[in-house]
Amino acid sequence: REPLYLRQSLTLRLRPLGFEQASLFMDRWDFAKRVEAYAVIGGMPMYLSEAARHRDVKKFLAEKVINPRGLFFTEGSTIVGQELGNVPLLFGLLEAIAGGAGKLSEISSAVGKKSVDLSAYLRKLDSVDLVTREVPATEDKPEKSKKGRYVIKDNFIRSWFRFVYPFSGLIDGGMHEEVMRRVEADLSAFIGQPVEDIVRQAVAKESARGNLPIALSRVGRYWDKANDIDICGAGTEGEYLWGECKWRSRQMGVDVYYALKEKVENARINVDGVNLYLLCSKSGFSDKLREVADAEGVILWDAAKLEKILTPDPA
């Protein structure tokens, strides 16, 4: 009577597209706009196809998201509600993480609950792919690491809980233009984290292609109590690749490189081994930094180089 029950031949969980494929939806936009759009709305095809109808991601947000008549104004609460039910604490956790809280102690302080009481709720968010726990790429046993940070996996959900949920009352009250002014003021800082993830995707791709000086076994971030490094790639032979990314309208100066080297030295990771450096800048590099990079073998990626790496190969 039910011949297919529990006899499916394939279970396929659809996940957001990576930047490389997502950017194809916005092929009329320049590369920088595509990067910024992905950082805000992520890789779900419906968001991407709707965004592509607008001139940039800010216009999309203003018309479709931060607007009580917008198609995606209630999208975040709908998704979370469908997955987990309308549990106020879960919404509070997502708002806290979207606002920059990553450590369990920071999240606990933001929501006003003891850390011990939050673990089950964070596991629930993890189980439905809304939140994940990251550890530094230097950790050999991630599951046992005490350096975990929580991040929202989906860029659109992160944006919704940063820019819509906290201001829903203002938006409902007809002040969505005021909210958009706040969004525009905060957007360049907000997209930093997902842009770094795009660069890490490029690092992993170049490693797989054999285009880096070392082969990497894993790529992620690094942090400790005093240092935070955007890119950390662990080599298969004990080498490390360290990197910083700046997505801003001015050239990167040599000070960024020296600061990165100082962070690596302070971290005391791979002290006697090979440490290579990579810098990624939307707007290129100063002449002095290029001179130092040539002398010391630093890898430099500007937006044009990143675009070349992340452009899908012809079918």
Side-chain angles (χ1 to χ4, degrees):
R1 293 170 58 184
E2 296 178 343
L4 299 180
Y5 180 64
L6 294 180
R7 290 192 172 93
Q8 65 268 28
S9 60
L10 175 66
T11 300
L12 184 62
R13 188 179 184 93
L14 298 180
R15 301 182 183 278
L17 300 172
F19 173 77
E20 186 175 342
Q21 297 301 321
S23 66
L24 296 175
F25 283 80
M26 299 166 286
D27 57 354
R28 292 185 293 111
W29 294 8
D30 66 39
F31 180 71
K33 285 185 177 181
R34 281 180 272 148
V35 168
E36 290 154 11
Y38 183 82
V40 172
I41 63 178
M44 283 298 185
M46 185 176 182
Y47 307 147
L48 293 165
S49 60
E50 285 293 329
R53 302 173 188 268
H54 299 77
R55 66 172 180 264
D56 56 36
V57 71
K58 292 179 184 177
K59 192 68 172 175
F60 168 72
L61 286 174
E63 293 188 6
K64 298 296 185 180
V65 184
I66 304 173
N67 183 337
R69 296 182 297 277
L71 180 61
F72 303 119
F73 176 60
T74 61
E75 186 78 353
S77 60
T78 299
I79 291 172
V80 177
Q82 287 176 342
E83 293 282 1
L84 300 168
N86 188 14
V87 181
L89 180 56
L90 295 175
F91 280 71
L93 291 172
L94 288 166
E95 182 183 3
I97 298 170
K103 299 176 183 177
L104 187 55
S105 59
E106 295 170 341
I107 299 169
S108 171
S109 177
V111 300
K113 296 286 185 180
K114 294 181 180 179
S115 298
V116 68
D117 297 329
L118 299 181
S119 297
Y121 292 97
L122 289 167
R123 284 196 297 270
K124 185 174 290 189
L125 290 171
D126 191 345
S127 71
V128 293
D129 272 350
L130 289 174
V131 164
T132 189
R133 179 177 177 272
E134 293 185 346
V135 300
T138 53
E139 298 289 286
D140 292 328
K141 297 180 179 179
E143 68 283 355
K144 295 183 179 180
S145 175
K146 296 182 179 180
K147 297 180 179 180
R149 285 182 179 176
Y150 291 91
V151 296
I152 295 177
K153 293 180 71 173
D154 183 88
N155 289 349
F156 179 86
I157 292 296
R158 179 172 177 260
S159 298
W160 194 89
F161 275 94
R162 178 70 167 265
F163 298 132
V164 181
Y165 182 67
F167 305 117
S168 56
L170 293 177
I171 299 169
D172 279 331
M175 299 182 66
H176 57 279
E177 291 185 3
E178 170 61 26
V179 175
M180 270 306 302
R181 281 193 284 271
R182 299 187 190 188
V183 171
E184 291 180 8
D186 191 31
L187 200 58
S188 61
F190 176 76
I191 68 173
Q193 179 181 312
V195 168
E196 291 162 14
D197 185 60
I198 292 172
V199 177
R200 287 189 288 268
Q201 291 179 34
V203 169
K205 182 174 286 292
E206 285 294 88
S207 175
R209 289 169 171 169
N211 290 340
L212 294 178
I214 59 176
L216 303 177
S217 59
R218 58 185 180 274
V219 179
R221 294 188 294 152
Y222 174 81
W223 63 87
D224 56 32
K225 292 181 179 180
N227 305 286
D228 202 318
I229 300 175
D230 300 340
I231 300 161
C232 175
T236 56
E237 302 297 327
E239 319 96 327
Y240 276 89
L241 175 70
W242 306 93
E244 289 284 330
C245 175
K246 301 294 182 185
W247 201 257
R248 57 194 184 189
S249 57
R250 63 181 185 274
Q251 289 185 333
M252 181 184 288
V254 72
D255 58 308
V256 176
Y257 172 53
Y258 291 143
L260 173 59
K261 289 188 71 175
E262 184 177 0
K263 289 180 184 179
V264 173
E265 291 169 4
N266 291 340
R268 306 293 296 172
I269 302 292
N270 200 37
V271 175
D272 297 320
V274 175
N275 291 302
L276 302 177
Y277 296 91
L278 180 149
L279 300 170
C280 181
S281 169
K282 171 186 174 181
S283 302
F285 310 92
S286 68
D287 291 341
K288 179 62 176 178
L289 177 51
R290 288 188 178 278
E291 179 184 331
V292 172
D294 285 342
E296 300 190 18
V298 180
I299 302 167
L300 300 181
W301 289 355
D302 57 14
K305 176 63 175 180
L306 195 60
E307 180 177 15
K308 184 177 180 181
I309 295 169
L310 292 172
T311 297
D313 297 326

